[in-house]
Amino acid sequence: MMMGDPQKHRILMVSDFFYPNFGGVENHIYYLSQCLLKLGHKVVVATHSYGNRSGVRYMTGGLKVYYVPWRPFVMQNTLPTFYGLLPIIRIILIRERITVVHGHQAFSTFCHEALMHARTMGYKVVFTDHSLYGFSDVGSIHMNKVLQFTLADVSQAICVSHTSKENTVLRSGLPPEKVFVVPNAVDTSIFKPAVNRPSGPEIVIVVISRLVYRKGVDLLVEVIPEVCRLHPNVRFIIGGDGPKRVRLEEMREKHSLQDRVEMLGAVQHVQVRSVLISGHIFLNSSLTEAFCIAILEAASCGLLTVSTRVGGVPEVLPDEMIVLAEPDPGDMVHAIQKAISILPKIDPQVMHNRMRELYNWHDVAKRTEIVYDRALKCSNQNLLERLSRYLFCGAWAGKLFCLVMIVGFLLWQLLELWQPEDDIEEVSDFSLPHNCDEDMLEENPVK
Amino acid sequence: MIEFSKSNVRYTYVHDQKYSSEVVDIHHIISRRSNAKYFFVYTTTLLVLACALYLYAYKEKSISLVYCSFLFDIFLVKSLLGNPIKKESVVIMPAFGVQLETHYVSGKVIRYFVPIDKILKPVLIECVTPVTCYWTLSLIIRGESEMVLVFKNLRPPVKILVHVWKALCAATGSNEETCAHAE
């Protein structure tokens, strides 16, 4: 084993989900990229264009983002054309001298296509799955087949919790030895508890989530009136918007809870902390969750969490910071009562300090680095050896996947003739000096 | 003079230094397409014409097929070979402005002048299309939302563009090392 400087990687992150959208996957890619840059690696992100935002952009720390001008067509996903992305992905991989391609989120067509092309061209590929999916409905069956195709030949995979690992391995048939568990983290420097906890006889329960079926809004509609009836001093704050908002409004009208339940509407990501610190308890009623960053943010702000015991949620917080309940209204009401009774013993600052030790993005980056090192040690296989892996995907599907890969290989060879690799110029690495922004601010002071 | 060869186009960069560079600074980029493309296009047109003639002579098809194939050939030659470019030039006059010239093989010359005080900064930027990504040299113009491409038709490699960019920076007084330096 060679001792010496650890190898620096050049990583391409691919996904349909990135800034300027905000969400779990988007933030994960951004924070992970920033921490990898600090560790000395080179990171480039490729995603589709958002409105007018297309071309090359640079973000903090020299993070280069390629907004490839392919329009999204449904739910933020690029139109799947199988081979449409091959030329541009090939050019990005060669110009930036990429060594590892890291794809995010199973529900991203850009990711699947880019990973397929990267494998055709012989690059090492890592895939991170952020969500849990079902097995029985039509959409899930097709999605799982696509996932089986992508993961048949991936170098390594990452899941955000052990439950997610089990789910991914079952859906895709991937050998468990290839899957690493690296949890998400939270930026504890932003999510700090309030200097003065909201005092007074009132207990405030905060809910922040998209108001969709998956997030258990129907449970909330049963739970909130019951809790308001049992505890006259409890108030609710609900942030977020979505198709199920109407049901919550109806509940407020029916039980005359207008002064006890406050609806904030959509909450911007920058305002999440100020909403959280106005409460004592955070309520999460999701019906399925691979990891749930929301409860990490709440715990980092010093709130006691009450959540449904689903998916990866039990793995996230220590027992003294969370009260779990089955996704049943009666059980949830009991859990809230228990939380209210243990509330006086909670110290927000102690909670925050504990979260700072348990979760931070630098740790996630170091663990991801280990996955990259392992991926690079995987052997290089030629086309025929790789094709044999696809045949195991199913009687018809296996042969179809083999055909797709063979056509992809031929198209790649054609591109190599049309535009040889030597003709594509490599980009030199730019480093932004530390005082670059300060110079610009001196010349144009912000009024 | 720097020669650079891509797969089917040869770019030659010439820096005219017969005048003093404080007064006039001229840069040329000469492109020469390789013969392969001409060979391919003309062979295809001959093949199409030959097929049409064969069908007319031996298979009793009408003469209009030959006329149509002839028109199709002309369309093919015009669209694929187009109006070939001989060279693109940049004439930098620090006192007046920058003149961008496109010289065609047919002898036509198109000139575009940008006054010196309209130029905010010359920049090298990467352009991303759905199938490719390449470097271009552009001028940011004061008061306009669109940038002006210095080389509108040719795509010379970035090693050549850097020389022209440095000359433009010197002429317009922009600080080359403002924000970024290559490792």
Side-chain angles (χ1 to χ4, degrees):
Chain A
M1 187 138 123
M2 281 190 47
M3 301 295 283
D5 277 334
Q7 194 183 5
K8 294 299 172 203
H9 303 288
R10 302 177 68 87
I11 302 144
L12 177 69
M13 301 275 188
V14 285
S15 183
D16 272 306
F17 306 103
F18 195 63
Y19 183 84
N21 276 0
F22 282 99
V25 182
E26 293 86 336
N27 286 344
H28 174 103
I29 300 176
Y30 178 73
Y31 281 119
L32 179 60
S33 305
Q34 290 293 331
C35 292
L36 285 168
L37 283 168
K38 287 251 168 47
L39 285 172
H41 304 288
K42 163 93 178 155
V43 183
V44 177
V45 180
T47 182
H48 64 72
S49 62
Y50 290 85
N52 274 343
R53 185 184 284 261
S54 96
V56 172
R57 297 279 190 281
Y58 288 89
M59 293 181 83
T60 319
L63 177 64
K64 187 168 181 180
V65 187
Y66 281 84
Y67 289 99
V68 176
W70 282 78
R71 286 279 155 163
F73 85 116
V74 80
M75 286 174 72
Q76 284 299 317
N77 280 315
T78 325
L79 183 70
T81 53
F82 279 97
Y83 305 109
L85 285 172
L86 179 58
I88 185 70
I89 295 286
R90 173 175 175 258
I91 292 209
I92 295 175
L93 288 171
I94 295 173
R95 307 175 95 224
E96 304 285 346
R97 292 168 280 148
I98 300 291
T99 54
V100 180
V101 181
H102 189 166
H104 291 265
Q105 188 63 311
F107 200 71
S108 164
T109 47
F110 192 101
C111 165
H112 286 298
E113 279 195 38
L115 291 186
M116 172 172 85
H117 299 315
R119 275 313 283 155
T120 309
M121 296 188 264
Y123 289 88
K124 299 288 186 282
V125 155
V126 177
F127 175 76
T128 298
D129 203 352
H130 292 259
S131 303
L132 295 177
Y133 287 99
F135 293 85
S136 55
D137 56 294
V138 177
S140 292
I141 293 176
H142 290 306
M143 171 60 60
N144 292 343
K145 214 60 188 171
V146 172
L147 190 69
Q148 226 181 356
F149 170 64
T150 303
L151 293 188
D153 200 20
V154 80
S155 311
Q156 302 291 341
I158 299 177
C159 287
V160 292
S161 64
H162 293 283
T163 314
S164 178
K165 172 173 173 173
E166 196 182 328
N167 184 264
T168 301
V169 165
L170 286 172
R171 274 159 53 215
S172 64
L174 194 61
E177 308 82 62
K178 271 196 175 176
V179 184
F180 288 75
V181 175
V182 180
N184 277 324
V186 65
D187 193 353
T188 44
S189 58
I190 295 179
F191 291 95
K192 288 195 171 91
V195 175
N196 296 315
R197 210 173 172 191
S199 57
E202 267 195 338
I203 296 182
V204 181
I205 302 186
V206 178
V207 178
I208 299 185
S209 78
R210 282 177 297 133
L211 301 177
V212 294
Y213 167 74
R214 239 188 97 215
K215 297 287 181 183
V217 177
D218 300 299
L219 277 174
L220 281 182
V221 167
E222 310 276 324
V223 165
I224 291 177
E226 189 63 22
V227 172
C228 287
R229 186 179 68 83
L230 289 170
H231 299 271
N233 61 337
V234 163
R235 206 161 56 84
F236 281 85
I237 295 180
I238 302 179
D241 205 349
K244 290 276 185 178
R245 189 177 173 170
V246 177
R247 287 212 68 193
L248 285 169
E249 302 275 6
E250 279 173 3
M251 170 204 76
R252 272 174 95 201
E253 292 288 325
K254 191 170 156 197
H255 299 273
S256 310
L257 294 168
Q258 285 87 342
D259 51 343
R260 309 264 318 263
V261 174
E262 191 185 337
M263 308 264 308
L264 296 176
V267 178
Q268 299 279 338
H269 196 251
V270 292
Q271 292 162 335
V272 167
R273 187 223 166 210
S274 51
V275 174
L276 285 173
I277 57 175
S278 64
H280 303 95
I281 295 178
F282 183 78
L283 177 59
N284 174 54
S285 54
S286 309
L287 299 177
T288 172
E289 201 71 75
F291 187 80
C292 201
I293 298 189
I295 59 181
L296 276 189
E297 292 171 353
S300 181
C301 287
L303 274 76
L304 180 62
T305 307
V306 175
S307 176
T308 42
R309 187 182 283 116
V310 289
V313 170
E315 300 175 36
V316 175
L317 288 179
D319 293 328
E320 55 272 18
M321 293 193 200
I322 186 167
V323 181
L324 292 168
E326 298 305 318
D328 167 76
D331 211 20
M332 287 186 72
V333 171
H334 280 303
I336 295 178
Q337 284 182 309
K338 185 176 165 197
I340 293 173
S341 64
I342 62 177
L343 195 58
K345 295 183 218 137
I346 300 294
D347 183 349
Q349 197 56 44
V350 166
M351 260 182 136
H352 173 83
N353 293 342
R354 185 94 194 273
M355 291 305 293
R356 229 181 26 209
E357 285 165 43
L358 286 174
Y359 288 102
N360 77 72
W361 283 107
H362 295 285
D363 181 49
V364 173
K366 284 205 193 77
R367 288 161 83 161
T368 312
E369 196 182 25
I370 296 175
V371 180
Y372 295 148
D373 291 335
R374 188 73 72 84
L376 284 179
K377 289 203 181 81
C378 285
S379 54
N380 285 326
Q381 291 182 313
N382 67 16
L383 178 69
L384 289 171
E385 286 162 8
R386 288 172 37 228
L387 282 180
S388 60
R389 288 202 212 174
Y390 287 104
L391 282 171
F392 289 114
C393 291
W396 287 106
K399 297 184 179 62
L400 180 64
F401 294 160
C402 279
L403 190 65
V404 168
M405 288 310 282
I406 290 171
V407 173
F409 181 80
L410 291 171
L411 283 174
W412 174 48
Q413 293 301 316
L414 198 66
L415 272 180
E416 292 265 295
L417 285 172
W418 184 265
Q419 192 179 24
E421 211 172 296
D422 301 326
D423 277 353
I424 301 172
E425 305 166 281
E426 290 170 2
V427 179
S428 44
D429 293 330
F430 291 102
S431 69
L432 298 167
H434 295 294
N435 52 357
C436 170
D437 291 328
E438 288 163 22
D439 281 347
M440 282 168 60
L441 284 174
E442 270 171 31
E443 288 170 41
N444 307 305
V446 176
K447 297 191 181 59
Chain B
M1 177 164 137
I2 302 174
E3 276 240 0
F4 195 86
S5 187
K6 275 191 171 180
S7 59
N8 56 350
V9 189
R10 182 166 290 128
Y11 293 107
T12 311
Y13 167 66
V14 179
H15 184 188
D16 234 333
Q17 284 173 316
K18 57 184 183 209
Y19 305 108
S20 133
S21 62
E22 284 93 45
V23 179
V24 171
D25 196 11
I26 309 180
H27 304 260
H28 303 283
I29 295 192
I30 304 164
S31 93
R32 197 157 33 100
R33 291 218 97 95
S34 73
N35 297 324
K37 191 173 188 187
Y38 287 101
F39 178 72
F40 174 72
V41 174
Y42 285 129
T43 321
T44 318
T45 54
L46 278 172
L47 219 61
V48 168
L49 200 58
C51 284
L53 283 169
Y54 171 76
L55 285 170
Y56 170 65
Y58 292 103
K59 301 281 181 185
E60 313 297 334
K61 298 276 192 242
S62 75
I63 192 82
S64 57
L65 185 67
V66 182
Y67 291 143
C68 285
S69 74
F70 194 61
L71 286 171
F72 174 75
D73 279 346
I74 294 179
F75 166 74
L76 203 69
V77 171
K78 268 273 180 290
S79 62
L80 285 181
L81 297 180
N83 205 356
I85 309 254
K86 190 170 80 172
K87 73 173 179 192
E88 290 205 309
S89 306
V90 183
V91 183
I92 307 175
M93 294 161 279
F96 301 112
V98 175
Q99 171 141 305
L100 309 170
E101 299 177 353
T102 308
H103 299 250
Y104 292 92
V105 164
S106 53
K108 191 163 89 166
V109 183
I110 296 187
R111 297 185 175 87
Y112 184 81
F113 180 73
V114 187
I116 196 77
D117 43 1
K118 289 276 266 175
I119 301 176
L120 181 59
K121 204 171 165 112
V123 284
L124 284 166
I125 55 172
E126 291 169 282
C127 293
V128 184
T129 70
V131 290
T132 187
C133 178
Y134 54 93
W135 286 97
T136 59
L137 175 59
S138 302
L139 301 170
I140 304 182
I141 306 290
R142 287 178 207 274
E144 306 267 334
S145 57
E146 297 278 324
M147 292 192 274
V148 171
L149 275 174
V150 172
F151 297 109
K152 296 184 191 356
N153 303 92
L154 299 180
R155 289 188 193 170
V158 78
K159 295 186 195 46
I160 297 180
L161 288 177
V162 165
H163 294 280
V164 185
W165 173 68
K166 285 189 175 153
L168 280 168
C169 281
T172 59
S174 309
N175 185 1
E176 273 171 42
E177 309 294 341
T178 314
C179 250
H181 61 270
E183 266 167 37

